[in-house]
Structures are given as structure tokens and as C-alpha cells.
Amino acid sequence: MTILRTALVATLIAVSATSAFAKNPKVGGAAMFEDKNIIQNALNSKDHTTLVAAVKAAGLVDTLMGKGPFTVFAPTNEAFAALPAGTVETLLKPENKDQLVKILTCHVVAANAMSSDVNKMAMADGGTHEVTTVGGCKLWLSVKDNTVMIKDEAGGMAKVTIADVKQSNGVIHVIDKVLLPKM
């Protein structure tokens, strides 16, 4: 009886531990853990290698490992690849660090905004909610068919493809376009 009880308790603990992390969707084929920060999780996503390289080149690793809270709209490798040919390579050059920092910080809001929060804010503002990013850019958030949409200063539209990926210092929303500031 004691062995059976021990096995049952061990099973319940394992199920509880698994369900604590099961709420987060996988990103880039990797599990995303709520007790890890944005950088720790992003390093595991095969869909965000370009973003990670850009964050490193911009010197923003320590910032995004910080306390937060941060909401990061994280473009995929495909989103970066959709930029004009040579753009990513040019931005990664040391002489273009200021421009790279500006673009990347236009993807970060100093808040912990889940998609339900964005929905509420957009509804309260007549369908579109304006936010100012860490980089000083304006973004306009709206919800269409239960999907968060983001308009950037350059007029581009990004769609959140994976929402509400909880991190220890905020939340990540995976997006399908790179957000650009007004140049």
C-alpha cells in the first residue's frame, strides 16, 4: 500500500509540474518555461535565431534578461528574411548598431501585456490601442478574429502568430513581420 501511495504521489507531482509549464505554447519547436527569462527561452527557439543574433549585436541581452516586465513582439526568422535583400546583414554591422537598437526596441513595451489585456485596451479605445515602445516608437494594437494585429510607424502590419508565451520577466508574442520605426 505504501509503494502504491508513493507512486501515486510521484505521479501527481509529475503531472502538476508538467501542467505548470503546459500552458505555454512551444515556440520554434522548443518548450518555453515561465521560470526562464526572455533571452533564456529565445535561445531555444529555432524560429528566432536571427532575432537572437540581432539582440546580441545590439547589446540588448542584459536588458532583456533584466527584471522587466517586458512585452516583446518577437519576429521570426521568416519575418527578417522578408525584409529587402541585405537588410539584416547591413543592420548587424557594428557601424549600424544605433539603427539596429532603434528597430529592436520598437518591438518591446515596458509592461506585461497578455493578448486578453490588448483586447481589453483596444476595445476600450474604440478598436485600436496606441502604445509607446521602449525605443520611443508608436504601435497601434488591434484585435481581428481573436488575433492581435500590430501596425507600426512605417504603416506595416504584423500578426501575432503565437500569443501569451509567459516569461519570468514578461511575455513574448511571436509575430510574422519586423516592426519598423518611421525613418
Side-chain angles (χ1 to χ4, degrees), residues 119 122 127 141-150 157 159-160:
N119 190 25
L141 310 175
S142 58
V143 180
K144 181 179 179 184
D145 299 325
N146 293 322
T147 300
V148 174
M149 304 296 293
I150 307 154
M157 288 294 291
K159 176 173 71 170
V160 173

Side-chain angles (χ1 to χ4, degrees), residues 162-177:
I162 302 174
D164 302 334
V165 186
K166 295 177 186 175
Q167 315 290 299
S168 65
N169 60 345
V171 62
I172 291 176
H173 300 289
V174 177
I175 58 174
D176 65 350
K177 301 280 187 234

Side-chain angles (χ1 to χ4, degrees), residues 77-146:
N77 294 340
E78 287 180 1
F80 280 102
L83 293 171
T87 300
V88 173
E89 294 79 9
T90 299
L91 286 170
L92 292 176
K93 292 180 180 178
E95 62 267 24
N96 298 319
K97 182 177 177 179
D98 290 345
Q99 187 178 11
L100 180 60
V101 168
K102 178 69 172 177
I103 291 169
L104 292 176
T105 57
C106 284
H107 290 78
V108 182
V109 178
N112 189 10
M114 303 297 283
S115 60
S116 60
D117 300 322
V118 172
N119 190 25
K120 288 174 193 170
M121 291 183 284
M123 295 297 286
D125 289 347
T128 303
H129 181 71
E130 181 181 295
V131 297
T132 302
T133 68
V134 170
C137 303
K138 300 284 185 197
L139 299 177
W140 293 269
L141 310 175
S142 58
V143 180
K144 181 179 179 184
D145 299 325
N146 293 322

Side-chain angles (χ1 to χ4, degrees), residues 23-78:
K23 293 179 185 175
N24 256 353
K26 283 188 174 188
V27 176
M32 299 285 116
F33 299 102
E34 290 182 41
D35 63 341
K36 294 188 184 279
N37 67 47
I38 290 164
I39 296 298
Q40 290 169 324
N41 276 320
L43 286 169
N44 294 321
S45 170
K46 69 178 173 31
D47 291 343
H48 290 90
T49 56
T50 305
L51 177 60
V52 169
V55 167
K56 287 178 181 178
L60 296 172
V61 171
D62 288 342
T63 301
L64 292 175
M65 288 180 76
K67 184 178 177 183
F70 302 111
T71 296
V72 175
F73 298 107
T76 61
N77 294 340
E78 287 180 1

Side-chain angles (χ1 to χ4, degrees), residues 7-23:
L8 180 59
V9 168
T11 302
L12 288 173
I13 290 171
V15 168
S16 294
T18 302
S19 65
F21 296 111
K23 293 179 185 175

